[in-house]
Amino acid sequence: MTEAQNNTPCLVYVVDDNPLLGQVTAQIIDTDGHKTRFFTDPLLAREALKTADPQPDVLLTDHDLGPIVGFELIKIARKMIPGIRCLLVSGTVKHEILRRHPVKPDRFLAKPFTADELLACITELA
């Protein structure tokens, strides 16, 4: 059982190379009572996953991140933290790509999304 299912906040790593979108996303999640750690650089997020204490319950990652894509970060996170739940967000990934890609996020949320849609996904994954 995750922390959120025990009615305590879960830890969400938010990775988005757009600082404004990432900060707003993290702020929405924080306002709902969860804790976040925000990264604009996916390589720094990858390094943080290696040494995370406590480990995140959820990884929320954008798809287009520059040096790596969200699918790759999800694959890396799952190797480091078995059982981590992953939410992929994107304004460019189509459902056909999701269907065919070998790495499957636990949830997908198309941009733009509402705060309610985001929080529903976090609640489901936590």
Side-chain angles (χ1 to χ4, degrees):
M1 187 176 286
T2 66
E3 288 183 34
Q5 290 169 328
N6 287 323
N7 296 322
T8 58
C10 72
L11 176 58
V12 181
Y13 275 21
V14 176
V15 186
D16 195 318
D17 62 340
N18 181 317
L20 181 59
L21 288 176
Q23 288 172 348
V24 168
T25 299
Q27 196 169 46
I28 290 167
I29 296 167
D30 287 337
T31 301
D32 198 46
H34 302 287
K35 298 177 192 234
T36 58
R37 187 159 176 208
F38 171 56
F39 301 88
T40 56
D41 183 337
L43 301 178
L44 290 177
R46 180 185 67 191
E47 292 306 308
L49 285 164
K50 287 182 185 177
T51 59
D53 185 24
Q55 293 181 331
D57 302 290
V58 177
L59 171 67
L60 183 160
T61 182
D62 187 29
H63 178 260
D64 297 317
L65 295 170
I68 63 175
V69 295
F71 287 116
E72 186 176 346
L73 188 57
I74 288 170
K75 183 178 178 181
I76 291 166
R78 286 179 173 156
K79 283 183 181 177
M80 292 182 198
I81 305 173
I84 190 169
R85 304 291 300 217
C86 299
L87 170 59
L88 180 69
V89 299
S90 178
T92 59
V93 170
K94 304 296 182 223
H95 285 282
E96 180 65 21
I97 294 170
L98 281 171
R99 190 178 64 73
R100 286 190 277 142
H101 201 283
V103 174
K104 305 288 186 220
D106 296 293
R107 286 294 313 267
F108 173 74
L109 194 55
K111 290 181 179 180
F113 50 82
T114 67
D116 288 341
E117 290 169 328
L118 172 63
L119 294 176
C121 284
I122 297 298
T123 298
E124 180 184 320
L125 295 174

